[in-house]
Amino acid sequence: MNGCHDVGGMHGFGPIKREDNEPYFHEKWEERVFGLFFGCFAGGHYNLDEFRHSIEHMGPAYFQTSYYEHWLHAMQDLLVRNGTLTHAQIEQRMREFAAQGSA
Amino acid sequence: MPHDGHDHDDDHDHDHHNRPPSDTALRVKAIESLLTEKGLIVPEALDLIVQTYESKVGPRNGAKVVAKAWTDPAYRKRLLENSTAAIAELGYSGVQGEDMVVVENTPKVHNMVVCTLCSCYPWPTLGLPPVWYKSAPYRSRAVIDPRGVLEEFGVEVSASTEVRVWDSNAELRYMVLPMRPAGTEHLNEEQLAELVTRDSMIGVGQPRVPIGSAP
């Protein structure tokens, strides 16, 4: 079955953008997502196939978001689906941090 | 659980193309904070994971494998016959490198590696992949126009050289054994490793030419 991730052979994505001396992470939050991915995986909150499956079902949003945003999507999707967190909890905590002016 | 149930949430999360970047940072921070509060993760453990992949794992590992293969014919043979075991001899194994296949460049064959579906890449030997490797432009074109991609990367491959493209996947990851540059007979294994670039092990670059040697 084709999905948004199955881009092999597709046209129209433009030039390959490379960066000299590229860092492994471009934003602090990317580091945290990377670490969280392992933490939640080690804790048994999802397996790798579920994680990929979640990303592969992002649809058009897949192309509008960055690599570690894909990871964030899958992590949140699976943590909410398995009952570990709720969207309301996450949104509430985000509002609290925003009010404190920290991110 | 059927996917219909959560697609609405996806829309909620990703429909806003122009949302400020801090929204993502806030979301990550919120999730980390909630999981920490529940005792499900330990932030210091996350720090350690990040530090490990930033400083201890990287293409220098793969470069040592290549340099050993260039200087030790018996090792080269083992590397091509059972890549995972031969790489593990040097101490490189584990997550995202469980099953490795090393493909050898020759005057007649040039190999390059892609993961069309996402970002599969041999972490123990090459570290985390660069953004371009994970991007749609490389993934889409590597398999339909490999010579065009190689040209874009500045790699000269003659028309008579066969180009083979290997699509890494979740179970199996490829790494290229580039050709040893001419004029390096006097270099030892350690010096040779310095010539091996990350891109040469993906197959979109060539090893460096040693300083002082004829172009």
Side-chain angles (χ1 to χ4, degrees):
Chain A
M1 191 182 89
N2 288 337
C4 56
H5 61 297
D6 197 358
V7 301
M10 283 174 71
H11 291 271
F13 286 114
I16 299 161
K17 292 178 189 154
R18 287 182 283 156
E19 181 184 345
D20 290 335
N21 302 313
E22 182 183 323
Y24 284 122
F25 303 101
H26 288 78
E27 304 277 350
K28 189 70 189 169
W29 66 261
E30 294 185 343
E31 285 185 22
R32 301 319 287 171
V33 166
F34 184 79
L36 280 167
F37 163 79
F38 276 95
C40 294
F41 174 71
H45 297 286
Y46 44 72
N47 64 43
L48 288 179
D49 292 330
E50 284 177 303
F51 197 82
R52 293 191 184 100
H53 188 257
S54 176
I55 291 173
E56 291 166 5
H57 281 73
M58 286 179 73
Y62 180 87
F63 297 105
Q64 293 154 1
T65 45
S66 70
Y67 183 73
Y68 285 112
E69 282 178 304
H70 295 172
W71 283 34
L72 174 60
H73 163 88
M75 192 181 306
Q76 175 171 296
D77 176 33
L78 295 168
L79 288 170
V80 168
R81 277 203 271 159
N82 69 22
T84 305
L85 300 177
T86 66
H87 283 297
Q89 281 177 319
I90 297 168
E91 303 289 337
Q92 171 66 27
R93 189 58 55 94
M94 285 172 69
R95 279 193 296 275
E96 289 167 15
F97 283 137
Q100 293 168 17
S102 66
Chain B
M1 184 185 271
H3 282 280
D4 303 339
H6 74 278
D7 282 346
H8 302 292
D9 296 332
D10 294 348
D11 294 343
H12 175 74
D13 289 334
H14 291 293
D15 253 0
H16 310 289
H17 309 174
N18 299 320
R19 67 169 186 267
S22 66
D23 190 60
T24 302
L26 277 175
R27 185 174 300 281
V28 175
K29 191 173 177 183
I31 291 173
E32 179 171 352
S33 146
L34 288 164
L35 293 174
T36 305
E37 212 167 83
K38 288 170 181 283
L40 299 175
I41 55 150
V42 180
E44 292 75 17
L46 269 51
D47 297 340
L48 192 65
I49 289 163
V50 171
Q51 283 164 17
T52 300
Y53 279 95
E54 281 201 312
S55 59
K56 293 194 179 151
V57 184
R60 292 300 89 213
N61 294 356
K64 288 177 190 161
V65 171
V66 169
K68 188 167 177 63
W70 282 348
T71 52
D72 180 344
Y75 182 76
R76 175 183 156 273
K77 188 165 183 288
R78 291 201 297 282
L79 183 66
L80 296 174
E81 281 172 359
N82 185 343
S83 306
T84 313
I87 291 167
E89 284 179 37
L90 301 194
Y92 312 129
S93 60
V95 180
Q96 313 295 352
E98 293 90 344
D99 275 296
M100 291 289 300
V101 171
V102 172
V103 288
E104 184 183 36
N105 282 352
T106 68
K108 289 181 177 169
V109 176
H110 181 88
N111 297 283
M112 62 188 276
V113 181
V114 63
C115 171
T116 58
L117 295 181
C118 185
S119 55
C120 291
Y121 191 77
W123 290 10
T125 41
L126 296 191
L128 301 178
V131 169
W132 60 257
Y133 183 86
K134 305 180 283 191
S135 72
Y138 180 73
R139 287 158 51 199
S140 59
R141 281 178 50 212
V143 287
I144 199 171
D145 180 25
R147 285 179 192 273
V149 170
L150 288 171
E151 197 181 329
E152 201 168 315
F153 275 81
V155 179
E156 286 176 33
V157 176
S158 72
S160 60
T161 301
E162 181 188 347
V163 173
R164 292 183 187 163
V165 182
W166 302 86
D167 199 351
S168 277
N169 59 62
E171 278 75 40
L172 190 69
R173 283 135 206 263
Y174 297 96
M175 185 177 109
V176 174
L177 173 58
M179 281 191 286
R180 180 171 173 167
T184 58
E185 294 74 15
H186 60 294
L187 299 182
N188 64 28
E189 196 175 317
E190 199 176 320
Q191 292 166 323
L192 286 168
E194 292 300 315
L195 305 179
V196 183
T197 62
R198 175 196 69 196
D199 286 2
S200 72
M201 294 180 280
I202 304 174
V204 295
Q206 301 287 14
R208 293 187 190 97
V209 176
I211 297 160
S213 80

